[in-house]
Amino acid sequence: MRLFYLVKKELIEIIRQKELLPLLFIAPIIQIIVLGYVVKTDIEHIPVDIINLSKSKHAVRMINRIRHTPLFNVKHISHQNKDAVETLKKGEVKAVILFRDSFDSVDRKMKRETPLKYPEIQILMDGIDSNTSSIAAGYFNGIIKKYILTDIGKWGFHLPVENKTLIRFNPRLQSINYMGPGIVALLLTILTLFLTSVSIVREKEQQTMDTLLISRLTPIEIYIGKALPLAIIGTIQMFIGLGVVVLWFNIPVRGNLLYLLLAAVVFLAAVLSYALMISTIAATQQQALFFSWFSMVTFILLSGLFTPTENVPAAFRFLVKINPLAYLIKIIREIFLKGNGIEYFYKDLLALITIAVVIVSLSLLNFKRFISK
């Protein structure tokens, strides 16, 4: 019962902060919607400039295909040669596509133009944004390849070997299906980490910590009483966020959400314990917020949310293995995209449980040492 009243007291204290309630329950919804449209890897409407020096009908047809695809936004089509590098320097376009006739466009043996002679194509990309450039080049090569395969098929020619790619789990390659659930995990980390890290240090600054210490509450009860309310709020926030990504962005849920709840509880135990450890170490709320900000940035960059964790150098790979957010994001994607059960990600769940047990143990030892001072 003593623990119940402490949890009730913490919840009442949070609810009384009326300016904090919109931040807890409304701001995450707005952030998920905004980030869902902004933080995505889909490349569309890439501004390009086309220089057509070819007299081939194939060049005209290829240009029409480029113009009518949402992948590219053709700014200008020129039939006179110009400095492509200077065009890219102006920054108005990301690519310059040059069509010109090759010297052997006329078959020397037959002395006539053959129907399967295509113009030379040169693509000049702005490499400042390497990701956009590489994806745009892949899109363009795909359009040209599809056109050529269709054209030679009309003449009865077929490639002896043709690769066909079958994409599973996210066949339309929509990045929101990949990023949406991860954004929920990201916001869950930010809110719980910042709120919890200032909980105990706030008690110290307001000189109300002594009241708890002289009460009949044990150190473990005080510890749980500080963590449990925020764990409840974090769980509510997570399911609100998941509801937004499912209903607003139409992301299907293929797996069992009970597995996600289990992973979220273990994750919250790890993050809240880490935040409470920060709160006991910090002398002021400003210090606690700084430590939380530094930890949050590290968690996010090493989580695999924006870039694959395989890109992390081997020397720093251990930081990924001790990052609880990396395991939660991986489990969320396994459940949402693949519909996998626990038999597919139990190793990640066990690793997350191990991290949580270690952090909770260290945090409890540090909390007891803090109380004994």
Side-chain angles (χ1 to χ4, degrees), residues 126-149:
D126 185 348
I128 292 180
D129 186 353
S130 59
N131 183 60
T132 301
S133 299
S134 60
I135 295 176
Y139 285 159
F140 181 76
N141 291 330
I143 292 173
I144 299 303
K145 178 183 177 181
K146 186 176 181 180
Y147 172 81
I148 294 176
L149 290 176

Side-chain angles (χ1 to χ4, degrees), residues 58 97 189 196 221 264 289 296 316-317:
H58 296 297
I97 305 173
T189 305
T196 311
E221 288 176 333
L289 291 174
M296 176 199 67
F316 302 101
R317 197 70 56 79

Side-chain angles (χ1 to χ4, degrees), residues 340-356:
N340 285 344
I342 196 171
E343 65 274 12
Y344 289 93
F345 55 81
Y346 72 93
K347 292 182 179 179
D348 297 310
L349 185 59
L350 288 176
L352 184 58
I353 291 173
T354 303
I355 294 173

Side-chain angles (χ1 to χ4, degrees), residues 194 197 278 285-296:
F194 275 85
S197 63
I278 291 176
Q285 294 188 54
Q286 186 178 11
Q287 290 181 7
L289 291 174
F290 176 79
F291 288 142
S292 299
W293 175 83
F294 176 80
S295 302
M296 176 199 67

Side-chain angles (χ1 to χ4, degrees), residues 47-51 73-78 82 87 93-98:
V48 299
D49 200 346
I50 295 178
I51 303 175
N73 179 17
V74 179
K75 294 291 187 179
H76 184 257
I77 299 177
S78 174
K82 60 181 180 179
T87 302
V93 295
K94 295 292 184 181
V96 175
I97 305 173
L98 173 64

